[in-house]
Amino acid sequence: MNNHNHKRSLRSDMPRRTKQESEQTRSALLAKALELYADRGIEHVSLKEIAAQAGVTHGAVYWHFKNRDDLLFQIYHQIELPFEIQYIEQRQSAKQNPLQALQDYLMGVIHLVTTSTSVQQGYRLFFTLPASPALASMAERLLEDREMVTSHLRYFLKQAKKHKLLQKKLSVILSAQSLSLVLFGLLDQSLVESDPKQYKAQAHNLIHIVMQGMAAEKA
Amino acid sequence: MNNHNHKRSLRSDMPRRTKQESEQTRSALLAKALELYADRGIEHVSLKEIAAQAGVTHGAVYWHFKNRDDLLFQIYHQIELPFEIQYIEQRQSAKQNPLQALQDYLMGVIHLVTTSTSVQQGYRLFFTLPASPALASMAERLLEDREMVTSHLRYFLKQAKKHKLLQKKLSVILSAQSLSLVLFGLLDQSLVESDPKQYKAQAHNLIHIVMQGMAAEKA
């Protein structure tokens, strides 16, 4: 047993744990909660069970999270982040080549959904949220985020319009809504699709068709 | 009181009612059941209440329908019919101008969803069916029909390919799946959209984009 471990066993009350240990416990709780919630539905899993399955005490849950809502929001934040990063990355390229950036953004999101287990679990969890008063604030947040995604899509399309890359008669606002329907349709689809390869081919095909359909005809 | 009504009051047992009266009762029951189910969910409405609200006896329900499942299938058949008619109408035109026929089919379905109250109620009812063992056979039927719609879309696209109207690199099978995702996405969307005019504009815009994206470039 090294010196560090020895020290720890002497003062084992939670606040004195190292920051790293605390972060590990928090991550383990978030991951286990996401897994159990996605599997069985939020309303059929207790905080107690999450603690037990993550191998920590019931009290540790309350050390890291105020309550179930807080836990849920923190899980959500983790899932949302990769989508945000996709957008931020492509927002830079959008100034040079907005339609390419838009396509890369859409493909990037599809890639995430087909490769990241936690994004898949998160999607399953948050987009099939039961209509319950206890989850109303979460549901509102999801709706806001959906609108935010549409406004991101609008940004790409506005840039494309400015660069005269869009078909003239297309409305930027309508097309952003159309595109958001396609994107959320694809994400919904990812929940029922059993063959990731087939799903990816289908998603790419649809994104390609839509991008072609919006682009101005080449002179 | 005319002779006909007089006769009816003398022999009021159900089997002897005129065919027309019986048909009226059946229609009233189907319409009321659809309305109540769509409003409150299948599992929160009894056959007794449907009968009462349709102004007929509880027994009349069982005269016309074997049980709730049978009632549900007969409601479904009524809703499904207008979609089938759309397809059959356009299948003829598909031999001459498959892409135009496909667009007319898609627009026709959107028109139905925005103008027919019973189609809207039916869509709300059948596409948000709870996952219950009692409704398993209905759920299976819905899945089969979804596949049938994809095969209809495939028919249009196959004809378009034959006429060299599609982009060469597009796969008919993948594109039919993409299109079916767009169509069911639009139908799902119709359930949450509060402004029918806005919804129709959005749907037309998306259909237009997708059709443009699939069409071969004009030489």
Side-chain angles (χ1 to χ4, degrees):
Chain A
M1 210 181 263
N2 63 30
N3 190 36
H4 174 73
N5 269 346
H6 179 64
K7 262 192 187 159
R8 210 188 113 207
S9 66
L10 285 178
R11 29 185 180 126
S12 68
D13 42 321
M14 257 180 291
R16 300 227 183 145
R17 287 207 170 165
T18 66
K19 207 176 165 183
Q20 196 195 343
E21 282 168 330
S22 169
E23 191 45 53
Q24 272 170 8
T25 303
R26 187 175 166 276
S27 294
L29 281 168
L30 285 172
K32 189 49 83 178
L34 173 56
E35 186 193 321
L36 292 173
Y37 283 156
D39 233 41
R40 307 214 312 259
I42 290 172
E43 283 165 332
H44 301 107
V45 180
S46 67
L47 292 179
K48 208 168 171 173
E49 186 178 355
I50 293 167
Q53 290 222 25
V56 304
T57 64
H58 192 185
V61 180
Y62 289 100
W63 172 256
H64 288 281
F65 310 103
K66 260 180 280 175
N67 48 35
R68 191 187 67 177
D69 270 14
D70 183 37
L71 170 61
L72 216 50
F73 272 103
Q74 295 197 37
I75 294 174
Y76 182 68
H77 186 63
Q78 277 199 327
I79 302 305
E80 186 195 35
L81 217 55
F83 287 87
E84 277 296 292
I85 291 170
Q86 288 295 319
Y87 173 64
I88 291 163
E89 269 177 20
Q90 295 307 329
R91 202 186 145 95
Q92 284 308 313
S93 329
K95 280 166 195 163
Q96 275 77 53
N97 194 339
L99 280 189
Q100 188 60 47
L102 172 55
Q103 178 160 330
D104 291 347
Y105 167 74
L106 295 170
M107 297 292 198
V109 169
I110 296 305
H111 181 74
L112 265 174
V113 167
T114 48
T115 52
S116 158
T117 308
S118 66
V119 166
Q120 279 162 14
Q121 288 172 335
Y123 201 75
R124 192 173 301 280
L125 171 58
F126 290 110
F127 292 74
T128 59
L129 217 56
S132 130
L135 298 171
S137 63
M138 193 69 231
E140 203 179 317
R141 168 75 176 272
L142 291 169
L143 207 66
E144 282 167 18
D145 265 21
R146 232 175 151 111
E147 278 162 23
M148 196 184 64
V149 168
T150 308
S151 84
H152 289 170
L153 296 170
R154 204 157 51 226
Y155 174 79
F156 289 114
L157 292 175
K158 231 159 94 183
Q159 293 289 327
K161 188 109 186 172
K162 225 169 81 181
H163 287 67
K164 298 194 194 311
L165 295 169
L166 276 199
Q167 287 206 29
K168 270 186 210 142
K169 56 184 178 243
L170 276 191
S171 143
V172 166
I173 289 171
L174 275 182
S175 300
Q177 287 168 344
S178 299
L179 210 52
S180 121
L181 181 75
V182 167
L183 180 57
F184 285 106
L186 281 170
L187 293 175
D188 283 342
Q189 181 79 0
S190 76
L191 293 181
V192 293
E193 195 61 63
S194 52
D195 178 352
K197 217 173 148 187
Q198 163 73 11
Y199 168 74
K200 214 165 176 174
Q202 191 183 333
H204 283 195
N205 189 65
L206 179 54
I207 291 171
H208 199 78
I209 288 174
V210 169
M211 298 303 298
Q212 289 266 328
M214 293 195 305
E217 284 161 54
K218 277 160 196 106
Chain B
M1 213 181 260
N2 63 31
N3 193 36
H4 173 75
N5 270 345
H6 179 65
K7 262 190 187 160
R8 211 189 112 206
S9 65
L10 284 178
R11 27 184 181 125
S12 67
D13 44 321
M14 257 181 289
R16 301 229 182 144
R17 287 208 171 164
T18 66
K19 207 177 165 182
Q20 195 194 345
E21 281 169 330
S22 169
E23 191 42 55
Q24 272 169 10
T25 302
R26 187 176 167 276
S27 295
L29 280 169
L30 285 171
K32 187 52 81 178
L34 173 55
E35 186 193 322
L36 292 173
Y37 283 155
D39 234 39
R40 306 213 312 257
I42 290 172
E43 282 165 332
H44 301 106
V45 180
S46 67
L47 292 179
K48 208 169 174 174
E49 184 177 356
I50 293 167
Q53 289 221 26
V56 304
T57 65
H58 193 185
V61 180
Y62 289 99
W63 172 256
H64 289 281
F65 309 103
K66 262 180 277 174
N67 49 33
R68 191 187 67 176
D69 270 13
D70 183 37
L71 170 60
L72 217 49
F73 272 102
Q74 294 196 39
I75 293 174
Y76 182 68
H77 186 64
Q78 277 199 328
I79 303 303
E80 184 195 36
L81 217 54
F83 288 87
E84 277 296 292
I85 292 170
Q86 288 295 320
Y87 173 65
I88 291 162
E89 268 178 20
Q90 296 306 330
R91 202 186 147 94
Q92 284 310 311
S93 329
K95 280 165 194 163
Q96 275 77 50
N97 194 338
L99 281 188
Q100 187 60 47
L102 172 55
Q103 177 160 330
D104 291 347
Y105 167 74
L106 295 170
M107 297 290 197
V109 170
I110 296 304
H111 181 74
L112 264 174
V113 166
T114 48
T115 52
S116 158
T117 308
S118 67
V119 166
Q120 280 163 14
Q121 288 171 336
Y123 201 76
R124 190 172 302 281
L125 171 58
F126 291 109
F127 291 75
T128 59
L129 217 57
S132 132
L135 298 171
S137 64
M138 193 68 231
E140 203 179 317
R141 168 74 177 272
L142 290 170
L143 206 66
E144 282 168 17
D145 265 22
R146 232 176 151 109
E147 279 163 21
M148 194 184 64
V149 167
T150 307
S151 86
H152 289 170
L153 295 169
R154 204 156 51 226
Y155 174 79
F156 288 114
L157 293 175
K158 230 159 96 181
Q159 293 290 326
K161 189 110 185 173
K162 224 167 84 180
H163 285 70
K164 300 194 194 310
L165 295 169
L166 276 198
Q167 287 207 30
K168 269 184 211 144
K169 55 185 177 243
L170 277 190
S171 143
V172 166
I173 289 172
L174 274 183
S175 300
Q177 286 167 344
S178 300
L179 211 51
S180 121
L181 180 75
V182 167
L183 180 56
F184 285 107
L186 281 170
L187 293 175
D188 283 344
Q189 181 79 358
S190 76
L191 292 181
V192 291
E193 195 59 64
S194 51
D195 179 351
K197 217 173 146 186
Q198 164 71 12
Y199 169 74
K200 216 166 174 172
Q202 191 183 333
H204 283 195
N205 189 66
L206 180 54
I207 291 171
H208 199 79
I209 288 173
V210 170
M211 298 303 298
Q212 289 265 329
M214 293 195 305
E217 283 161 56
K218 276 159 198 105

